[in-house]
Amino acid sequence: MTAAPGYAPRRTLPLRVEIIRQFKRRRTMVMFGLLLALPWILVIAFQFGPQSSGPQQASLRISDLATESGLNFAAFALSVSATFLLVVAVALFCGDTVASEANWSSLRYLLAAPIPRDRLLRQKLVVALGYSAAAVICLPLMALLAGTLAFGWNDIQVPGTGETIPAFDVLPRFGIVIGYALVSQLVVAALAFFISTVTDSPLGAVGGAVGLWIVCNILQAVEALGVLREFLPTFWNNAWVDALAPELDWSGMAKGASVSITYAAILIAVAFRRFRRKDVVS
Amino acid sequence: MKRVAALVAALALIGVTTWLVWPSAPKVRAQDQKITVVDGPSDDQRVELDTTFFPPPGGGKAPAVLIGHGFGGSKQSVRQQAIRVAQDGYAVLTWSARGFGRSTGEIALNSPDYEVKDVKQLIDWLAKRPEVLLDASGDPRVGIVGGSYGGSIALMTAAHDQRVDAIVPQITWSDLADALFPNAATQTPSAPTTASQGTGASDQGGETATAASTGEGAGGTSSTAAGQETAGAGLGQPESGVFKRMWAGIFFGQGVSLESFALQGQGQQQAAEPLTPQQARCGRFLPAICDIYQQVAEDGKATPEAVALLRKSSPITVAGQIKAPTLLLQGQRDSLFPLSHADANAKAIAAAGTPVSLAWFDGGHDGGNGEADWLFEQSSAWFARYLKGDGAAQTAPPVSAFTVTRDGGRDPGTRQRIRLHPEAASYPGLAGTDTTTVQLSGPEQSVVNPPGGAPASLSTVPGIGGLLGGQNTAGVSIDMPGQSAAFESRPLTAPLQLTGSTTAKIKVTGTGEATLFAKLYDVADNMQPPALPAGLVAPIRVTIPEGAGSVEATITLPAVDHRFAVGHRLRLVVTTTDMGFATAAEPATYQVSLASPTLAVPTVRTLAAPPSGVAWWVWAMPLAAVVIAAALLATGRTSSLAPAGSRVRRRAVPTVAGNGAAHDAAAAVQSAHDASPEQGGKPVPLEIRGLTKAYRNGELAVDGLSFRVEQGQVLGLLGPNGAGKTTTMRMMMGLIRPDDGEIRIFGDRVTPGAPVLSRLGSFVEGPGFLPHLSGRDNIELYWAATGRPAADAHFDEALEIAGLGKALERAVRTYSQGMRQRLAIAQAMLGLPDLLVLDEPTNGLDPPQIREMREVLKRYARDGRTVIVSSHMLAEVEQTCSHVVVMHRGRLVSAGPVSRLLTSESAGASTGNGHGLRLEDVFLDLIGDKS
């Protein structure tokens, strides 16, 4: 008899337990509240803004078309939040998860329970990714709801060309958009998660991930880097716009997914490897 | 941290060094000078040309490049380009053409008698420069590049001066007469055949059919009236052409307004002089040209003299003499010199056996992107190949015979438009390699020419295309109601990439001379305005023979590269007016119908596959990453284990239960236990052997620690701060890996996450709770996290020890230190573990609680479990513990029962007051001895 009766490593830290542990946190609540409220705030903002007299040829930017339909509005909401808000949300859920346990000193008791280290990371990663995915999904869905209630269920008007695609044709495309947004945020999640395993400061993990993200965004603006920019994790961040074009173009999203998965796989592997060997002193 | 900092510093150093060492572009000097040339039909006019010479920055002898400027410009407008070319390793000469800038003389439109003679003398001048590479005495290695007006001088000079070695004319004309008086129609005066042709074609029924080109081109099906060339080139009879009045006005107007512009530059005293009537009328144009312009602009008809004069300045007349390899760069958005002009030039030059390449780029006189960088790369490659010689030709990228710029959608990263450059190994001409026929339908429609020609339809507004920006969307295009006839195809079932000049056959019924304009629209659906590719129209002038009543004509639509998407329609529109052209003032009505329902759309198969497809790294990179990730995980697994047994230093294991003077470690050798640490078949709760752990700085936190704890003991772990107590406890919990030695709990070696840890309850270095959860939630979720059955937890017993009462339901963040402490001890006791490890359990407790805790621990051990307590409060340990281990500086100092320890020490020290020693004295004695 080596272990206590009833103990089995693969039963430790069930996902349900980890979900509850994270859900009751204030930052989880606040972040979801913000994501769910943002579409309504935008709706109010558009209602207050000066009404333009019909769409003009010159103004086919995604923001000008936002009030054309619920789908247009959802695309707009995603475009304004994907660059930063969702990044912060994902970094928060994934960067906070291990570092905050270390910060609370609860990490050592979990490890001594004992929850095998790989399993602890795996379960925490699954839950953190789950929360991140929920964040990425809930924003466009709420925007779709808010936009449909506010602006009606019309066909989507494509930014740039002003072409119109029937609403029901574009719904599956919208699924692609959300799916790609999830995949492209994977690199943020992995980066935040990796930093989370090496630091005891939750803010450091979240801030570190967001900070590196910002640096990548800045580097992306340096055209002199040429083709190298394609390998920056942020470069293909907006490739989901291609899914709303009249002709679906996968190439950008394929590259973006490739870059994202590459970084994510390596970062997560390094996180596991480091955490296994790490002396937990927090 | 230090390593990271060093790495960052090293990277920064490398970056700065690279920045400093990186070769910057060589500095280019510019030398301004006036070069006097003599020209004119009888070589008697002296003209001073304002020039700038840029010697090759690398020194030595280099090939020379002449850069011509556009109409209305001067040498200043090509200065940046000149510097760039010079940095490429050439001697560059720019000049203001006669009549422009500060050069004297009058504009003669690149006439062989004037401008061409000037440039020949510039080449003479270059031949005398020491910086310029010579092919022979007086024959420099020289290329000419220029756009529009500067492009045509390149062609004209190359035709008249065989010393020119390569030219890159851009957006220029082949036939100036045709450019200003185009006519895209070739007339078929045979009315009787109309019906049979029409029905025959409509019998085909199919929507589209692809047929290989006969080589004769788009105009092949029509028999031309005067036995002319096929209409593909679009260079027809300017005498019957439609006057391109807006462009001509801008063209001429620039030459006129140059006068005041140049005078302003020359000085105040001259600018003050009023213009003479002649100056105001003709500006700096040669009076002969000016007079002819005045005449044709007035009645909109090309006179034979005008055609003769314009043809004199047209490369098409002399293109056969060009021996210099020619790269023609023509803009797709150019209603002044459309692609058909480059086509005509290319065919004429290639006919003489001279190498010609052709590119249709996104630009031209109507705007577009301009692709300045790409054009520079192309011309640079061309010159490298034909001017620099073999070595450079090898390294320069090859220039394809035919390249077309196409829209590549948006860059997903920057959302900028990207352009693709599909290439073909040979130039297929405007008729393409294949022809797709598209069926049009539509009834005969009446169109009206409004009196005075206004209001006019709008296609491209010359001169403002550039202002509207480089949008790829077709510009504003308006057809006036009643003035246009439309014929439309059914929605396309497959995408259609048009590359070249589409041809159509129409029948015009009416009387006299009809001026019409044909356009081919891309119609997406009813919700969007139809797009006119490149904003180009084909002007048509047909003469309906007396008595015939109608005429058929084959229309060569403007050459474009355009993709019609699936579901889009092609719409042929024939209008009576266009803003850009001179139309008849008298009102007239015509009936327009299709003479043939087929539209012959040229496509270029060889261009059809632009280099695309998924880049190899798209799938290779994630695969590689997954492999690397798997490798990282696989190799990381073994090293997470505790050090191998062979590294364990065999040390004596003093047992705490030992009878002897246990602090003398050497005296308590129990070698029998080395191999099997079991005693009487029952595993020892805790056995530590040779345990060593160094801090990161190398100092030993725990140094060769060995001891054993037997079942039922309450062991006090004593030592001053920094003795290594907490580090030892962390290693017991599997949080820290020992550098050497091992810990066994119930016979199992402790590794991170070892299952045996489930029999260990621990409280080390303070409580760890989730502050947002209540005490009860924390305890319950912790137990749930262990994955063990809730029945085994003994929540009630544990929570009774905590004694929190109602506070259990509050969030932990509201707890006091003592409350958290008690809750943490309760958590450690969850499931009543066989071994309980508590670090300073009485910290923050009040005296009654301390007393209670003491009883709890004693009771706990009485039930056959084992308790290890570390404490500073020696009195506590003395009252609570049965056994003691004393540590100092990571080493074991003493071990044994409390009573034994006190007795043995008192034996040595009882000479004093005779009272039994307190543990404190012993402890201080032990520490003091060793320190």
Side-chain angles (χ1 to χ4, degrees):
Chain A
M1 184 192 71
T2 59
Y7 172 81
R10 60 191 164 74
R11 281 208 295 270
T12 53
L13 194 62
L15 291 179
R16 176 184 56 82
V17 172
E18 176 62 12
I19 290 170
I20 297 171
R21 294 172 91 242
Q22 297 295 330
F23 183 72
K24 293 190 178 171
R25 303 188 57 191
R26 222 175 256 172
R27 62 185 55 167
T28 311
M29 302 287 203
V30 167
M31 184 48 80
F32 274 104
L34 183 63
L35 291 173
L36 292 174
L38 182 75
W40 298 101
I41 296 170
L42 287 174
V43 165
I44 293 167
F46 275 112
Q47 300 289 359
F48 273 109
Q51 298 292 315
S52 63
S53 54
Q56 284 142 20
Q57 191 70 20
S59 64
L60 288 172
R61 288 174 303 161
I62 198 163
S63 57
D64 299 321
L65 295 171
T67 57
E68 292 299 309
S69 77
L71 284 162
N72 268 108
F73 180 77
F76 168 72
L78 195 59
S79 77
V80 290
S81 52
T83 47
F84 197 70
L85 182 63
L86 288 182
V87 171
V88 172
V90 170
L92 184 70
F93 290 128
C94 295
D96 193 56
T97 181
V98 179
S100 64
E101 299 278 359
N103 193 34
W104 295 325
S105 306
S106 51
L107 181 62
R108 57 169 172 261
Y109 295 110
L110 290 176
L111 291 176
I115 302 167
R117 292 193 179 188
D118 279 1
R119 181 166 174 90
L120 179 100
L121 275 201
R122 196 188 85 188
Q123 300 294 84
K124 280 196 157 290
L125 181 62
V126 168
V127 171
L129 288 179
Y131 274 112
S132 304
V136 173
I137 291 168
C138 82
L139 179 89
L141 285 189
M142 182 54 91
L144 195 57
L145 177 71
T148 305
L149 291 179
F151 308 116
W153 180 255
N154 301 322
D155 295 344
I156 192 166
Q157 210 172 352
V158 175
T161 60
E163 286 167 89
T164 310
I165 306 180
F168 280 101
D169 289 5
V170 95
L171 266 188
R173 301 279 196 91
F174 214 74
I176 295 171
V177 168
I178 294 176
Y180 179 74
L182 284 173
V183 174
S184 73
Q185 297 294 348
L186 203 57
V187 58
V188 185
L191 179 62
F193 189 72
F194 166 70
I195 302 177
S196 185
T197 58
V198 293
T199 178
D200 295 352
S201 155
L203 274 182
V206 179
V210 173
L212 276 172
W213 191 256
I214 290 169
V215 169
C216 283
N217 260 315
I218 291 169
L219 281 179
Q220 186 180 321
V222 181
E223 302 224 341
L225 288 178
V227 78
L228 283 181
R229 292 180 305 156
E230 291 196 6
F231 299 95
L232 288 173
T234 51
F235 189 73
W236 306 97
N237 218 16
N238 289 326
W240 55 266
V241 175
D242 292 342
L244 296 180
E247 277 181 68
L248 183 55
D249 177 11
W250 287 103
S251 64
M253 286 190 280
K255 287 180 181 174
S258 162
V259 170
S260 184
I261 289 169
T262 302
Y263 281 107
I266 290 180
L267 282 171
I268 288 174
V270 173
F272 271 81
R273 187 185 160 98
R274 281 191 64 105
F275 192 68
R276 264 184 203 158
R277 311 156 62 106
K278 184 183 174 182
D279 284 345
V280 177
V281 292
S282 59
Chain B
M1 266 318 137
K2 271 184 186 166
R3 274 191 299 173
V4 173
L7 190 67
V8 169
L11 284 176
L13 191 68
I14 291 168
V16 169
T17 315
T18 315
W19 179 271
L20 293 175
V21 174
W22 198 265
S24 57
K27 196 106 179 98
V28 176
R29 289 175 299 120
Q31 304 166 0
D32 292 326
Q33 62 269 303
K34 302 267 188 210
I35 298 177
T36 307
V37 293
V38 180
D39 61 15
S42 47
D43 293 319
D44 54 358
Q45 298 186 19
R46 290 177 73 81
V47 173
E48 267 199 342
L49 294 181
D50 183 22
T51 67
T52 303
F53 182 64
F54 302 85
K61 285 183 180 292
V65 173
L66 284 161
I67 303 181
H69 59 80
F71 202 82
S74 72
K75 68 171 191 179
Q76 290 304 327
S77 32
V78 293
R79 188 181 172 87
Q80 289 309 316
Q81 187 190 355
I83 288 169
R84 222 173 144 187
V85 173
Q87 282 168 347
D88 228 14
Y90 296 94
V92 179
L93 182 65
T94 64
W95 78 104
S96 297
R98 72 195 320 270
F100 292 95
R102 296 188 184 182
S103 294
T104 61
E106 289 149 327
I107 301 165
L109 295 180
N110 291 340
S111 158
D113 287 333
Y114 297 95
E115 280 88 351
V116 174
K117 286 184 177 172
D118 297 348
V119 179
K120 285 167 90 167
Q121 288 167 69
L122 291 181
I123 295 173
D124 293 341
W125 184 86
L126 280 174
K128 297 194 191 94
R129 295 295 303 195
E131 300 93 339
V132 175
L133 190 68
L134 296 182
D135 285 329
S137 177
D139 178 5
R141 178 79 60 84
V142 64
I144 310 177
V145 59
S148 195
Y149 195 64
S152 108
I153 193 66
L155 287 160
M156 296 297 287
T157 308
H160 287 99
D161 190 334
Q162 299 304 316
R163 292 177 296 174
V164 178
D165 298 294
I167 54 172
V168 184
Q170 303 167 9
I171 58 170
T172 194
W173 67 84
S174 66
D175 181 352
L176 200 51
D178 174 79
L180 296 180
F181 298 95
N183 184 5
T186 40
Q187 221 164 302
T188 321
S190 53
T193 57
T194 307
S196 66
Q197 271 190 354
T199 50
S202 60
D203 283 345
Q204 291 177 359
E207 237 174 342
T208 58
T210 307
S213 158
T214 56
E216 208 176 346
T221 50
S222 68
S223 57
T224 51
Q228 283 179 328
E229 282 284 318
T230 53
L235 305 180
Q237 317 123 291
E239 290 83 355
S240 69
V242 186
F243 183 45
K244 207 183 271 179
R245 67 180 171 100
M246 275 187 88
W247 265 126
I250 289 169
F251 208 51
F252 187 78
Q254 273 179 338
V256 172
S257 61
L258 281 171
E259 182 69 11
S260 53
F261 199 81
L263 288 177
Q264 274 173 9
Q266 279 172 8
Q268 291 295 326
Q269 74 280 13
Q270 288 188 34
E273 286 178 25
L275 299 175
T276 64
Q278 174 64 17
Q279 278 177 330
R281 201 171 71 92
C282 292
R284 299 179 71 177
F285 273 103
L286 207 65
I289 292 174
C290 179
D291 293 343
I292 282 173
Y293 175 76
Q294 304 277 329
Q295 194 192 337
V296 298
E298 199 175 323
D299 52 11
K301 296 262 192 230
T303 58
E305 305 83 63
V307 172
L309 181 109
L310 293 173
R311 281 269 161 84
K312 216 176 171 197
S313 299
S314 296
I316 193 71
T317 55
V318 290
Q321 305 169 28
I322 294 176
K323 292 287 174 279
T326 305
L327 171 63
L328 291 158
L329 303 171
Q330 201 78 354
Q332 296 180 36
R333 300 183 61 82
D334 202 326
S335 55
L336 178 58
F337 304 130
L339 296 173
S340 54
H341 281 257
D343 177 69
N345 277 333
K347 282 178 174 161
I349 296 168
T354 307
V356 176
S357 281
L358 192 59
W360 296 357
F361 69 97
D362 177 18
H365 285 92
D366 291 331
N369 175 275
E371 297 194 82
D373 287 337
W374 188 76
L375 295 192
F376 183 83
E377 282 166 26
Q378 294 290 301
S379 59
S380 172
W382 194 257
F383 284 149
R385 186 160 159 202
Y386 290 108
L387 293 185
K388 276 192 174 167
D390 296 336
Q394 296 293 320
T395 53
V399 178
S400 294
F402 183 45
T403 312
V404 176
T405 299
R406 282 180 182 161
D407 181 24
R410 282 186 188 277
D411 179 300
T414 58
R415 307 315 305 166
Q416 301 284 322
R417 286 248 161 238
I418 51 172
R419 283 167 292 279
L420 303 175
H421 296 103
E423 302 171 341
S426 67
Y427 174 58
L430 296 183
T433 56
D434 300 270
T435 305
T436 302
T437 56
V438 176
Q439 303 295 318
L440 295 179
S441 62
E444 187 174 67
Q445 292 156 63
S446 290
V447 294
V448 175
N449 183 37
S457 303
L458 194 62
S459 52
T460 300
V461 182
I464 69 160
L467 298 177
L468 290 175
Q471 291 303 315
N472 248 35
T473 50
V476 187
S477 176
I478 301 163
D479 294 326
M480 290 297 157
Q483 298 180 18
S484 56
F487 308 95
E488 203 167 82
S489 75
R490 272 186 261 165
L492 293 175
T493 53
L496 177 59
Q497 178 78 52
L498 154 64
T499 306
S501 279
T502 307
T503 53
K505 280 182 88 176
I506 60 165
K507 185 178 134 189
V508 182
T509 312
T511 51
E513 194 181 64
T515 304
L516 298 168
F517 301 90
K519 320 177 190 187
L520 185 65
Y521 281 102
D522 179 350
V523 185
D525 53 40
N526 294 330
M527 302 173 82
Q528 296 160 56
L532 181 62
L536 294 177
V537 298
I540 312 160
R541 180 162 286 161
V542 291
T543 310
I544 299 155
E546 286 292 331
S550 71
V551 69
E552 280 185 16
T554 300
I555 308 167
T556 307
L557 287 151
V560 288
D561 181 70
H562 182 81
R563 184 182 176 83
F564 294 90
V566 174
H568 288 205
R569 297 159 187 268
L570 278 69
R571 181 188 289 168
L572 177 68
V573 172
V574 180
T575 67
T576 53
T577 54
D578 192 275
M579 191 88 96
F581 293 83
T583 53
E586 57 271 19
T589 305
Y590 308 101
Q591 279 76 46
V592 180
S593 63
L594 290 172
S596 156
T598 57
L599 198 61
V601 180
T603 57
V604 178
R605 193 181 344 110
T606 44
L607 274 176
S612 68
V614 180
W616 61 270
W617 58 264
V618 168
W619 51 267
M621 219 167 60
L623 274 182
V626 168
V627 170
I628 292 171
L632 280 174
L633 292 181
T635 56
R637 198 174 288 277
T638 50
S639 56
S640 70
L641 295 175
S646 60
R647 284 174 53 206
V648 177
R649 275 179 285 162
R650 291 300 167 98
R651 282 220 180 187
V653 181
T655 170
V656 178
N659 298 329
H663 65 279
D664 186 5
V669 178
Q670 296 195 338
S671 57
H673 296 290
D674 280 5
S676 75
E678 297 193 4
Q679 196 176 39
K682 221 168 175 203
V684 184
L686 177 70
E687 181 177 34
I688 294 177
R689 268 194 288 180
L691 194 68
T692 304
K693 178 72 183 177
Y695 289 123
R696 205 169 277 178
N697 61 11
E699 194 188 322
L700 291 174
V702 179
D703 183 8
L705 182 71
S706 303
F707 66 86
R708 271 169 65 158
V709 184
E710 304 293 345
Q711 193 180 352
Q713 290 180 351
V714 178
L715 176 81
L717 193 56
L718 293 184
N721 284 333
K725 302 189 300 286
T726 306
T727 306
T728 305
M729 288 181 153
R730 282 182 173 278
M731 287 191 275
M732 283 182 212
M733 293 162 74
L735 299 176
I736 301 180
R737 293 177 306 131
D739 292 334
D740 203 353
E742 63 171 12
I743 300 175
R744 284 180 183 271
I745 293 176
F746 298 109
D748 281 14
R749 181 195 272 172
V750 172
T751 57
V756 74
L757 289 172
S758 58
R759 298 174 69 185
L760 174 86
S762 51
F763 167 70
V764 175
E765 264 195 315
F769 293 112
L770 279 61
H772 54 282
L773 295 178
S774 70
R776 183 183 295 280
D777 283 349
N778 259 299
I779 292 293
E780 289 181 356
L781 285 171
Y782 176 76
W783 186 255
T786 66
R788 292 164 64 183
D792 292 358
H794 303 276
F795 284 119
D796 294 340
E797 289 160 77
L799 291 175
E800 194 189 320
I801 290 161
L804 288 171
K806 285 182 181 165
L808 210 51
E809 313 303 331
R810 290 197 337 236
V812 165
R813 77 168 79 84
T814 64
Y815 284 15
S816 70
Q817 172 67 27
M819 290 161 83
R820 288 181 202 195
Q821 182 95 359
R822 279 178 284 149
L823 190 65
I825 293 168
Q827 178 179 289
M829 289 183 175
L830 279 180
L832 305 178
D834 297 322
L835 176 61
L836 187 63
V837 177
L838 303 177
D839 185 16
E840 311 278 358
T842 53
N843 259 8
L845 301 189
D846 54 25
Q849 289 165 341
I850 292 175
R851 170 189 287 263
E852 195 187 335
M853 186 59 64
R854 187 191 305 152
E855 293 312 312
V856 164
L857 296 182
K858 280 183 174 170
R859 200 165 56 234
Y860 198 83
R862 260 204 304 277
D863 296 345
R865 301 187 184 87
T866 311
V867 179
I868 300 174
V869 179
S870 86
S871 182
H872 286 122
M873 301 184 69
L874 298 166
E876 267 307 308
V877 172
E878 197 174 345
Q879 292 178 54
T880 312
C881 301
S882 59
H883 295 74
V884 181
V885 164
V886 182
M887 286 177 72
H888 185 50
R889 292 186 177 168
R891 288 175 173 275
L892 180 83
V893 178
S894 176
V898 175
S899 53
R900 175 77 58 190
L901 197 66
L902 292 176
T903 322
S904 66
E905 285 299 326
S906 65
S910 57
T911 51
N913 51 25
H915 292 291
L917 282 173
R918 290 183 304 144
L919 184 59
E920 186 180 335
D921 303 323
V922 179
F923 177 68
L924 290 175
D925 188 33
L926 285 169
I927 305 297
D929 271 353
K930 307 280 178 181
S931 56

